[in-house]
Amino acid sequence: MAEAHQAVAFQFTVSPDGIDLQLSHEALRQVYLSGLHSWKKRFIRFRNGIMNGVYPGSAPGFVVVLAGYMGRAKYVQADPSLGLFCKLGQYIPVSNYMSLETQRRVGGILVGTGLWVAIIYTMRNVLKFLLSWHGWMSERHGAATWKSRVWLALVRIFSGIQTPTLCSFQTSLPNLPVPSVKDTMTRYLESVRPLLEEKEYKRMEVLTLDFQKNYAPKLQWYLRLKSLWATNYVSDWWEEYIYLRSRNPIMVNSNYYVMDFLYVFPTQRQAARAGNAIHSIMLYRKKLDRAEIKPFLLQNTIPMCSSQYERMFNTSRVPGIDSDTLQHVSNSRHIAVYHRGRYFKVGMFYDGRLLLPREIEQQMERILADTSEPQPGEEKLAALTAGDRVPWACARDAYLRLGKNRQSLDAVEKAAFFVTLDDTEQRHDPNNPVESLRRYAKSLLHGNCYDRWFDKSFNLIVYKNGTMGLNAEHSWADAPIIGHLWEAFLWLCFFFHVLFMDPVKLGYTSDGHCKGQPHRSLPGPQRLQWSIPSECQSMIDNSLAVAQALADDVDIHIIPFEDFGKGLIKKCKTSPDAFIQIALQLAYFRDKGKFCLTYEASMTRLFREGRTETVRSCTMETCAFVRAIVNAEPKLSLLQTAAKKHQQMYRMAMTGKGIDRHLFCLYLVSKYLQLDSPFLKEVLSEPWRLSTSQTPLQQPELFDLVRHPELVSSGGGFGPVADDGYGVAYIIVGENLINFHISCKRSSPETDSHRFGNHIRQAMLDMLDLFQLPL
């Protein structure tokens, strides 16, 4: 009963004179501070709602409009109320309460306010119209036409003079358009032409024509109806059917990872590194809650959708029998920490303020020093989140819904984020770079399969030697959102948000501790209590066996490609992304002797609630170049043509003219209508044997890798999509470095990540040779 005794804010005793209340001033003070924090947060959200609601209007703009209107009315001696109160007086005796002059002033203020609202509405719709034009994307960087310059100027004017907050542009973003069926079918046939023999291609043409004529008009009608009714005709279905309805493990198959510095190690103390990192992430959350983070603007002008940021913190994926759900709470004042099989709840606030880094380090030290043993079933409990979703849903419903299990599970799922104090050491070893990076990546991707809570929006993993990394769940948002968390407070060349705050602003003492002093009376971490029956432990063991087999099958190879980078590629007057994608096609052809359907992720955040679209980067033009170079007949013109085609495909995907999201939605409608389309069935079953993604660097102005070349990260990666395919993530770091993360399955005799990495390196060098530029 000790916990219950401490939980109440007062004590009482019964005496002959009545009840004697003994108020606990410290407990009441904490209640007061907690309530004050809650009300401050409500006020900030209310204020942000007002500011976003009137954007691009502003308070100074309102004063100018109102003063201008009232001044003009006085100058021309007109009634500023436009007779509003005269008409109102026919029904309500207004004259009994206000003089004629007061009526005119109040009416003038109301009319002026209405004029201001009308101006805002007009500016917002004009801005939405302007942002629907994407002609600027087809122009070469630094060579904008007069039309684009005028357009950019108009976008800046109609964006208003007020500094935008994170969500200010949301109502001004255009909706994602539904492509025409004819255009999608034409582009689909073009995308599969290099992959099919003549006979197969003719058969596919017949299937396509049949679908376009007999099925598509009805399906397209429903999509157009949805696009008029919903904000985005793709995103909700994409989240539900691609992510939440998948019954396969999300570990490896969906979650992805992000790495730490490669060459810089701010401290060897695990608790100290965690202290600065956790404090920095909580500061980011505070800025996110207050909408103080700047929206991402292309060319510092063109806004991108910010809706995915909302669920970055306090979010967990909850398993279900048929479909998972995303549980998001508006506020969370604690984090969940895992160490050596034990779970802890660590409060992040005390005395009405966020814990300081040294205080968080103090809490981590207490956890590391705790010698208690895991409770039965506790150590490997998180294996349920790593295995198949249905057994996890059954175990959660049967054994974790009541009593202390429910309380402990809530503490994990409603935490701001999850932290693992990993008992291993991971780091890039210059004497053994291949193996050390492979171990590091696999540890971040899956760990021991039971020491990360894979359902949390993200896991912060801090290793025994002070190295860090992230494992992120995919359904709530895409990788650029987590990337922004890492980048947000960079200065000079510090790649991650946490890493900038960490060694520079917060820093460490000479002996590796966080700066500051421990708190003398800070309450310690709360050990979570579980009562896990043997039946549930059997389910945990089964999930662990599934997850372990999946983890053991993953092979990862990381290439820090340092021969050249985007600086030299730009001198070739070629898009770096197009150059790399063509190199991947050449590498795949050398590896397999054929081409394959290739997935490259592209953003559609130019539209409201946009997420991703697929760039089918295996084109006829790229295949022509690859065949030429394989046959020892390389032609620079073929490479340039292929690069231009890839850029065109990427622009089309970003501007809502992609193929795959449209086909996906048509397929869903056909299932709802119980229409069996042979075309859609075949298209949606095609495997992506080469799945690629560029980790975008969203704030390059914060880098200075020329002055500090050691401050680089390897970026992040993901598991293979197809059993016999490759997953390739790459990040262009500075002017002279490109990092590749290559994954495949060991069980496939057709793939080898190390072999494919060698093909990529050679392909990059062979392509550069065509330009005859020195390295």
Side-chain angles (χ1 to χ4, degrees):
M1 295 298 293
E3 295 84 359
H5 180 73
Q6 295 173 1
V8 296
F10 60 89
Q11 307 165 17
F12 67 91
T13 58
V14 179
S15 67
D17 299 324
I19 297 177
D20 177 26
L21 294 177
Q22 301 173 9
L23 295 177
S24 170
H25 295 287
E26 177 59 26
L28 288 176
R29 180 172 176 272
Q30 292 301 323
V31 170
Y32 164 74
L33 291 174
S34 179
L36 185 64
H37 173 82
S38 177
W39 281 104
K40 280 183 179 179
K41 194 165 186 177
R42 290 182 186 180
F43 172 76
I44 289 169
R45 287 180 174 173
F46 175 77
R47 182 198 65 186
N48 290 340
I50 295 295
M51 292 174 64
N52 292 333
V54 301
Y55 191 86
S58 62
F62 172 69
V63 172
V64 169
V65 170
L66 190 60
Y69 176 74
M70 296 295 286
R72 179 188 177 280
K74 185 174 182 180
Y75 179 76
V76 300
Q77 297 182 348
D79 178 10
S81 69
L82 302 180
L84 177 66
F85 279 90
C86 291
K87 296 177 181 178
L88 192 61
Q90 298 176 9
Y91 309 98
I92 302 174
V94 180
S95 58
N96 294 342
Y97 307 101
M98 290 187 289
S99 64
L100 182 60
E101 185 63 24
T102 303
Q103 291 178 35
R104 288 182 173 179
R105 288 177 181 173
V106 174
I109 292 173
L110 293 175
V111 173
T113 301
L115 176 62
W116 179 62
V117 171
I119 292 173
I120 291 172
Y121 183 79
T122 301
M123 290 182 67
R124 190 177 291 170
N125 281 276
V126 171
L127 183 58
K128 181 180 289 190
F129 173 77
L130 289 170
L131 294 175
S132 299
W133 183 74
H134 302 112
W136 56 274
M137 295 187 69
S138 60
E139 297 177 355
R140 189 163 52 88
H141 182 68
T145 63
W146 67 268
K147 187 175 182 180
S148 291
R149 289 196 292 268
V150 170
W151 176 80
L152 279 171
L154 289 173
V155 170
R156 291 190 181 103
I157 291 171
F158 284 95
S159 293
I161 60 174
Q162 183 180 356
T163 302
T165 59
L166 180 64
C167 297
S168 293
F169 286 104
Q170 289 303 99
T171 55
S172 299
L173 291 172
N175 290 357
L176 182 68
V178 181
S180 72
V181 172
K182 181 179 179 181
D183 289 345
T184 296
M185 296 301 103
T186 300
R187 289 195 285 267
Y188 172 76
L189 287 174
E190 181 184 352
S191 72
V192 298
R193 185 66 186 90
L195 307 175
L196 301 177
E197 299 292 339
E198 187 66 27
K199 184 177 180 181
E200 280 297 303
Y201 180 72
K202 291 294 184 183
R203 185 186 69 84
M204 184 54 70
E205 277 188 320
V206 173
L207 281 178
T208 303
L209 185 62
D210 175 66
F211 172 75
Q212 183 176 339
K213 180 179 179 181
N214 299 318
Y215 295 89
K218 186 175 184 179
L219 305 180
Q220 181 80 345
W221 183 88
Y222 282 95
L223 283 190
R224 292 194 181 280
L225 181 64
K226 186 187 179 187
S227 70
L228 294 174
W229 178 252
T231 307
N232 189 297
Y233 83 95
V234 175
S235 292
D236 59 336
W237 283 351
W238 185 257
E239 178 180 298
E240 179 181 357
Y241 288 95
I242 296 301
Y243 294 116
L244 299 180
R245 288 211 180 191
S246 172
R247 303 294 81 201
N248 296 321
I250 62 175
M251 184 199 77
V252 174
N253 293 324
S254 179
N255 287 29
Y256 55 93
Y257 64 89
V258 185
M259 283 185 163
D260 196 351
F261 285 129
L262 280 182
Y263 311 118
V264 174
F265 314 109
T267 180
Q268 302 288 332
R269 294 185 182 273
Q270 184 178 23
R273 194 79 199 281
N276 270 337
I278 293 168
H279 180 80
S280 300
I281 292 175
M282 293 300 294
L283 286 180
Y284 182 93
R285 190 185 76 158
K286 180 179 179 181
K287 293 176 74 70
L288 185 63
D289 287 342
R290 296 184 176 185
E292 294 174 354
I293 295 172
K294 294 181 181 179
F296 183 51
L297 303 175
L298 292 175
Q299 301 184 22
N300 294 319
T301 304
I302 306 158
M304 302 191 79
C305 181
S306 300
S307 63
Q308 295 181 54
Y309 285 85
E310 180 183 0
R311 298 180 295 189
M312 182 181 292
F313 295 95
N314 326 328
T315 298
S316 189
R317 180 168 172 164
V318 176
I321 300 299
D322 299 315
S323 177
D324 295 351
T325 56
L326 285 173
Q327 174 184 276
H328 174 74
V329 295
S330 60
N331 190 27
S332 179
R333 298 174 63 81
H334 72 277
I335 61 172
V337 180
Y338 178 93
H339 177 246
R340 290 187 180 177
R342 294 86 46 82
Y343 290 83
F344 298 84
K345 177 180 178 181
V346 182
M348 287 287 99
F349 296 86
Y350 188 73
D351 279 346
R353 62 168 177 80
L354 177 65
L355 295 186
L356 299 175
R358 185 64 182 91
E359 294 166 345
I360 299 176
E361 179 187 356
Q362 179 182 355
Q363 300 290 55
M364 299 300 111
E365 288 173 336
R366 289 171 171 174
I367 292 174
L368 293 172
D370 190 315
T371 59
S372 62
E373 293 295 320
Q375 300 157 79
E378 179 184 17
E379 180 181 12
K380 299 178 180 179
L381 175 64
L384 290 169
T385 71
D388 291 320
R389 304 304 292 175
V390 173
W392 172 208
C394 293
R396 187 178 188 276
D397 186 62
Y399 306 112
L400 303 177
R401 287 183 57 198
L402 302 174
K404 56 185 179 182
N405 285 349
R406 174 75 269 174
Q407 295 175 1
S408 296
L409 185 63
D410 276 347
V412 172
E413 293 183 336
K414 295 181 180 179
F417 54 95
F418 193 86
V419 177
T420 294
L421 297 177
D422 200 294
D423 210 34
T424 66
E425 295 187 1
Q426 303 294 338
R427 182 163 294 174
H428 169 254
D429 182 358
N431 297 319
N432 189 11
V434 173
E435 181 59 24
S436 63
L437 287 175
R438 186 194 70 83
R439 287 197 307 264
Y440 185 13
K442 282 179 67 67
S443 177
L444 289 175
L445 184 62
H446 53 69
N448 290 326
C449 303
Y450 58 77
D451 49 0
R452 289 93 171 91
W453 198 271
F454 292 100
D455 286 354
K456 286 300 291 181
S457 54
F458 67 91
N459 289 242
L460 173 68
I461 299 126
V462 186
Y463 293 99
K464 192 175 181 179
N465 59 347
T467 304
M468 294 194 313
L470 280 184
N471 180 289
E473 202 274 321
H474 212 322
S475 63
W476 64 274
D478 300 310
I481 308 304
I482 277 290
H484 193 275
L485 166 67
W486 281 122
E487 294 177 15
F489 289 104
L490 285 173
W491 177 65
L492 293 176
C493 54
F494 286 84
F495 183 60
F496 295 137
H497 154 67
V498 174
L499 306 182
F500 159 66
M501 298 292 292
D502 192 344
V504 179
K505 190 170 182 179
L506 300 180
Y508 300 92
T509 61
S510 58
D511 57 352
H513 288 287
C514 295
K515 293 179 179 178
Q517 297 297 324
H519 196 291
R520 293 183 179 179
S521 57
L522 184 66
Q526 176 187 343
R527 175 76 187 274
L528 299 184
Q529 300 298 312
W530 308 89
S531 177
I532 302 175
S534 57
E535 296 84 356
C536 184
Q537 293 180 40
S538 297
M539 298 181 75
I540 292 171
D541 291 338
N542 291 337
S543 290
L544 179 58
V546 171
Q548 194 64 61
L550 183 60
D552 291 343
D553 199 24
V554 175
D555 185 33
I556 296 180
H557 181 56
I558 298 176
I559 308 174
F561 184 80
E562 300 173 309
D563 297 83
F564 62 89
K566 71 174 182 180
L568 201 55
I569 296 175
K570 285 183 176 179
K571 289 182 180 179
C572 303
K573 297 182 179 179
T574 304
S575 158
D577 183 70
F579 189 97
I580 293 170
Q581 285 291 328
I582 295 170
L584 292 176
Q585 291 299 317
L586 175 57
Y588 188 89
F589 189 85
R590 284 172 169 169
D591 189 73
K592 293 289 191 68
K594 59 183 178 181
F595 298 103
C596 73
L597 194 62
T598 304
Y599 183 109
E600 181 188 4
S602 165
M603 293 187 296
T604 56
R605 287 171 57 203
L606 290 171
F607 303 95
R608 192 170 180 181
E609 296 182 12
R611 290 199 60 163
T612 61
E613 178 57 275
T614 304
V615 181
R616 295 186 168 218
S617 49
C618 182
T619 63
M620 289 291 292
E621 291 79 1
T622 297
C623 293
F625 166 73
V626 169
R627 288 192 179 97
I629 202 170
V630 168
N631 295 328
E633 300 175 355
K635 292 183 180 179
L636 182 59
S637 60
L638 292 177
L639 173 57
Q640 293 169 333
T641 301
K644 289 178 182 178
K645 178 64 176 181
H646 181 270
Q647 285 181 281
Q648 178 191 356
M649 298 280 288
Y650 202 95
R651 286 193 294 265
M652 293 174 70
M654 283 190 68
T655 55
K657 299 175 183 175
I659 302 170
D660 290 277
R661 300 302 177 268
H662 188 203
L663 291 174
F664 163 74
C665 290
L666 289 170
Y667 177 76
L668 277 183
V669 175
S670 74
K671 289 299 181 182
Y672 284 130
L673 299 179
Q674 297 182 341
L675 296 177
D676 189 17
S677 165
F679 169 78
L680 288 176
K681 185 177 181 179
E682 183 167 335
V683 168
L684 270 294
S685 63
E686 294 170 346
W688 302 98
R689 291 190 171 89
L690 182 56
S691 181
T692 71
S693 177
Q694 180 184 173
T695 303
L697 185 59
Q698 300 171 85
Q699 302 170 88
E701 70 279 2
L702 302 176
F703 278 74
D704 190 359
L705 291 178
V706 175
R707 292 173 57 189
H708 300 281
E710 75 281 4
L711 297 173
V712 298
S713 162
S714 186
F718 55 89
V721 174
D723 290 340
D724 57 348
Y726 293 107
V728 181
Y730 54 94
I731 180 171
I732 302 171
V733 185
E735 297 294 307
N736 303 302
L737 176 64
I738 304 170
N739 284 318
F740 292 90
H741 294 243
I742 306 160
S743 65
C744 67
K745 293 194 174 183
R746 296 179 184 274
S747 57
S748 172
E750 300 183 28
T751 57
D752 184 302
S753 63
H754 194 277
R755 183 184 71 211
F756 192 57
N758 291 335
H759 285 315
I760 292 175
R761 183 183 295 278
Q762 191 59 50
M764 296 280 286
L765 293 172
D766 289 347
M767 288 169 57
L768 184 67
D769 285 344
L770 297 178
F771 293 94
Q772 299 181 347
L773 292 175
L775 289 176

